[in-house]
Amino acid sequence: MPSAATRPDQRNPTRAPSPAAGAPAPVQASGHALVAALLGFTVISIDVSAVNIALPAIRTSLHGGITGLQWIVDAYTLMFAALMLSAGALADRAGARRAYAWGVGLFTLASLACALAPGIGTLVAARVVQGGAAAIVMPASLALIRQAYDDARHRARAIALWTVGGSVAMAVGPVLGGILTEAAGWRAVFILNLPVGALILALLVRVPRSPRRPAPLDLAGQVTAVLALAGLAFAVIEGGHAGWTAPSVLAALAVAVAGALAFLAAEKRHRAPMVPLPLLRRRDVSVSLAIGFAVNVAFYGAIFLLGLYYQQLRGMSGTEAGLMFVPLAAIITSTNLISPPMAERFGRRPVIVTGQAVLALGMFCLLPLAADTPVWLILLLLVPTGMGGAFAVPALTALLMDSVPAARAGTASGLLNAFRQTGGALAVALFGSLIAGGASDGFSLAGMRSSLIVAGGLLCVTAALAAWALPRKKG
């Protein structure tokens, strides 16, 4: 997020400069900026959950196996996670409005490519571009709000609306994805992004130009981070199908290790690294990142599993499968509201530990699911899954922000989001391999249960780690 006091862009003096720091932006322009930022965050959030519901239809249409479905999800998530680390610096260098326009424009074009994709390979390539564009959109949208609202109170309200918009989008995404897929085909999920992208770009024309500020880009760190994450994801996905000793899997693991080592070396040498290594040596920071990773392994891994379970094992339509997620979304939204006051009363550490324990319980509660489990029982068993992560994450985020200097808040936020997205991506990679049951077109209930045990076990470990390592003070 850029600072309020940034230098104006001097390259085009004929255009009106942005409002000076401390001078309120015109109300109409602020409204346009907020709506544009909210729409962008909404559309990249919907895209994640809506596509999950469309996966079985994509599989039938493009004749792909479970490996292809894993890459459709992970190509987006991995690029989102990896580029999130430096997207904030890009927004600062280019200016929030310009970077946001680039991200939205690229996301819209990539959505069109997804909708027109003739095969799985083309669709995965387009999803890579989509994920990279989404990584630009998220921090630039927040920077756009920061620019539009100089008054702290108005800005807090705007950011609250932005946050709620993302939560609502995640809730609406499965339902919308199911309805669109059933009514017009899976390509409609991506076509929906086109008019939204056009509307955002039209609104940005009415938003004042953003100031820029020098922000060094860590290109070596960024490239090596992408190589490490992509190599690891490929190894996990292919290892479940080709075997862990297959030459392609071993080569991918070698790329992942080499990429990770090169990343560490690049961060040590860069004068302004996107991931300051001393920050990771702090126990409260490293443990917080591990918790964020584990929570997303469980939550987004469960969403991936359930979307396929509903449609492939139980034979639900896309709409029916989407509607199954509505009660879960309602639980998440209400629990998000409860978490902050509970953290203020009892302290963040107990809330974070309890949230992980409840989410782990949610994973274990889903183990009895079978093809004939009553729907009412499924929804009941999903209650702890909805409550756990929503209870832990707000307190976790607040604790991490308070654990680092103010100058490092943006870096810490980017790291947390990157670790969480990586957790979700690796969960899809591993769990997809487990549920395939050794066949390219199968769905193994035993594999689903193994996945849930892995997620629950990881959460038990990080909950214990949080109880031991996180600060004991309240607030």
Side-chain angles (χ1 to χ4, degrees), residues 256-315:
V257 172
L261 293 175
F263 173 79
L264 293 174
E267 298 309 275
K268 285 181 181 178
R269 293 192 182 100
H270 202 280
R271 63 184 180 86
M274 62 183 186
V275 180
L277 297 182
L279 198 65
L280 297 182
R281 297 189 190 105
R282 295 186 51 168
R283 190 172 68 181
D284 47 1
V285 172
S286 58
V287 170
S288 296
L289 296 178
I291 294 168
F293 177 91
V295 166
N296 268 35
V297 165
F299 183 76
Y300 286 102
I303 296 299
F304 174 75
L305 293 170
L306 289 169
L308 295 176
Y309 163 78
Y310 291 145
Q311 295 179 79
Q312 291 189 204
L313 198 64
R314 298 186 64 99

Side-chain angles (χ1 to χ4, degrees), residues 62-416:
L62 300 183
H63 310 291
I66 188 67
T67 302
L69 300 188
Q70 289 169 274
W71 277 116
I72 289 169
V73 176
D74 275 357
Y76 181 92
T77 310
L78 285 171
M79 287 302 291
F80 198 169
L83 296 184
M84 179 73 70
L85 295 171
S86 59
L90 177 63
D92 285 348
R93 285 173 66 92
R97 189 186 71 167
R98 183 180 284 106
Y100 191 57
W102 288 348
V104 169
L106 188 59
F107 186 88
T108 305
L109 291 174
S111 297
L112 178 60
C114 289
L116 298 176
I120 291 288
T122 310
L123 179 56
V124 170
R127 289 283 284 170
V128 168
V129 179
Q130 256 197 328
I136 299 172
V137 167
M138 178 173 275
S141 65
L142 267 176
L144 202 66
I145 293 175
R146 177 64 183 86
Q147 168 194 315
Y149 294 90
D150 289 319
D151 181 79
R153 187 163 49 92
H154 293 162
R155 184 168 61 248
R157 291 176 182 173
I159 292 175
L161 283 173
W162 181 86
T163 304
V164 169
S167 299
V168 171
M170 287 298 293
V172 170
V175 182
L176 189 59
I179 293 172
L180 287 173
T181 301
E182 196 170 342
W186 64 267
R187 298 179 191 273
V189 174
F190 298 105
I191 292 174
L192 177 66
N193 297 336
L194 306 185
V196 178
L199 176 57
I200 293 172
L201 293 175
L203 287 168
L204 287 177
V205 174
R206 300 172 179 269
V207 175
R209 184 182 56 193
S210 301
R212 303 191 206 181
R213 71 175 179 86
L217 292 178
D218 182 3
L219 294 179
Q222 184 61 84
V223 170
T224 52
V226 171
L227 282 176
L229 289 177
L232 181 58
F234 183 91
V236 174
I237 290 174
E238 293 300 318
H241 303 285
W244 292 102
T245 57
S248 60
V249 175
L250 294 176
L253 285 173
V255 169
V257 172
L261 293 175
F263 173 79
L264 293 174
E267 298 309 275
K268 285 181 181 178
R269 293 192 182 100
H270 202 280
R271 63 184 180 86
M274 62 183 186
V275 180
L277 297 182
L279 198 65
L280 297 182
R281 297 189 190 105
R282 295 186 51 168
R283 190 172 68 181
D284 47 1
V285 172
S286 58
V287 170
S288 296
L289 296 178
I291 294 168
F293 177 91
V295 166
N296 268 35
V297 165
F299 183 76
Y300 286 102
I303 296 299
F304 174 75
L305 293 170
L306 289 169
L308 295 176
Y309 163 78
Y310 291 145
Q311 295 179 79
Q312 291 189 204
L313 198 64
R314 298 186 64 99
M316 292 184 178
S317 68
T319 302
E320 290 170 334
L323 289 172
M324 290 291 290
F325 288 100
V326 172
L328 182 67
I331 293 169
I332 292 169
T333 302
S334 58
T335 306
N336 266 324
L337 299 175
I338 297 172
S339 176
M342 293 295 286
E344 184 177 346
R345 180 174 180 181
F346 297 106
R348 289 170 183 157
R349 191 185 68 149
V351 169
I352 293 168
V353 172
T354 301
Q356 290 178 92
V358 172
L359 184 54
L361 175 64
M363 298 296 101
F364 299 138
C365 283
L366 296 177
L367 290 175
L369 292 187
D372 57 353
T373 304
V375 169
W376 67 266
L377 181 56
I378 296 173
L379 297 178
L380 182 63
L381 293 175
L382 279 172
V383 170
T385 297
M387 292 182 64
F391 197 60
V393 170
L396 176 69
T397 305
L399 183 143
L400 180 61
M401 291 299 98
D402 285 352
S403 298
V404 299
R408 293 295 189 189
T411 300
S413 176
L415 271 173
L416 180 60

